[in-house]
């Protein structure tokens, strides 16, 4: 294993709830062994990227109801191809070469899992994107 691979694996957070065993599918195994820790590691960057997305789109997000904000997050990631590809790059760039070789065997299904996880992660931290009201 290369120094890069060892360094990447070393800086990833451990996720105790992400179970890995031989009876799970290869996609689920990859999701729990690789994608979950990378998403946790990249969380602040993913939040910053979405904050930038909001700002670049004239801050319409702030005028929406909570339900519409949740839909906005989904639509941003599912329908804005450039934004989705940017997010995928933030995640894939943290893969080891070995993980990347496993990823490309079924990238379409893994991309779907990855983007669904990003959507849920952003929705779960929606309060980060709220503009604090000024106290009088």
């Amino acid at each position: 294993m290369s120094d890069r691979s060892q360094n990447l694996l070393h800086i990833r957070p451990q996720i105790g709830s992400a179970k890995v065993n031989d009876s799970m599918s290869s996609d689920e195994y990859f999701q729990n062994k690789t994608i979950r820790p990378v998403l946790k590691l990249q969380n602040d960057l993913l939040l910053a990227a979405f904050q930038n997305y909001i700002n670049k789109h004239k801050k319409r997000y702030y005028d929406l109801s909570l339900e519409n904000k949740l839909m906005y997050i989904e639509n941003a990631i599912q329908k804005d191809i450039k934004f989705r590809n940017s997010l995928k790059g933030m995640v894939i760039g943290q893969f080891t070469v070995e993980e990347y070789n496993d990823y490309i065997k079924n990238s379409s299904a893994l991309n779907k899992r990855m983007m669904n996880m990003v959507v849920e992660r952003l929705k779960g931290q929606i309060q980060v994107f709220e503009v604090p009201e000024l106290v009088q």
Side-chain angles (χ1 to χ4, degrees):
M1 191 179 297
S2 71
D3 286 345
R4 179 185 181 277
S5 293
Q6 289 176 346
N7 290 339
L8 285 171
L9 294 173
H10 180 71
I11 63 170
R12 280 190 199 156
Q14 298 296 313
I15 303 176
S17 63
K19 303 296 181 207
V20 176
N21 60 54
D22 295 336
S23 66
M24 56 180 46
S25 70
S26 59
D27 288 354
E28 188 176 5
Y29 180 88
F30 189 84
Q31 170 185 295
N32 290 341
K33 184 89 169 120
T34 302
I35 296 173
R36 284 189 193 282
V38 169
L39 290 179
K40 187 168 184 177
L41 174 69
Q42 295 292 80
N43 187 64
D44 290 346
L45 182 58
L46 296 170
L47 293 174
F50 187 68
Q51 184 67 60
N52 182 56
Y53 184 89
I54 290 170
N55 293 339
K56 278 189 165 184
H57 290 85
K58 300 181 175 49
K59 303 181 183 181
R60 288 184 343 187
Y61 173 87
Y62 299 118
D63 298 329
L64 302 173
S65 67
L66 176 59
E67 185 178 329
N68 287 337
K69 286 178 181 180
L70 296 172
M71 287 176 43
Y72 185 94
I73 291 170
E74 281 188 43
N75 287 334
I77 294 172
Q78 299 303 333
K79 295 186 177 162
D80 188 326
I81 306 301
K82 285 173 69 175
F83 183 57
R84 183 172 69 221
N85 286 340
S86 175
L87 296 174
K88 278 194 282 190
M90 292 174 195
V91 176
I92 295 167
Q94 293 297 314
F95 291 176
T96 65
V97 172
E98 298 82 6
E99 290 168 337
Y100 180 74
N101 287 330
D102 287 340
Y103 162 79
I104 59 175
K105 292 174 188 170
N106 197 13
S107 61
S108 182
L110 292 171
N111 284 339
K112 189 172 190 168
R113 284 178 182 260
M114 184 189 317
M115 290 300 101
N116 286 337
M117 292 167 69
V118 170
V119 166
E120 292 308 312
R121 181 167 279 278
L122 294 177
K123 284 180 174 183
Q125 300 175 83
I126 198 165
Q127 71 280 1
V128 171
F129 307 114
E130 294 305 311
V131 177
E133 296 193 27
L134 297 175
V135 177
Q136 296 289 332

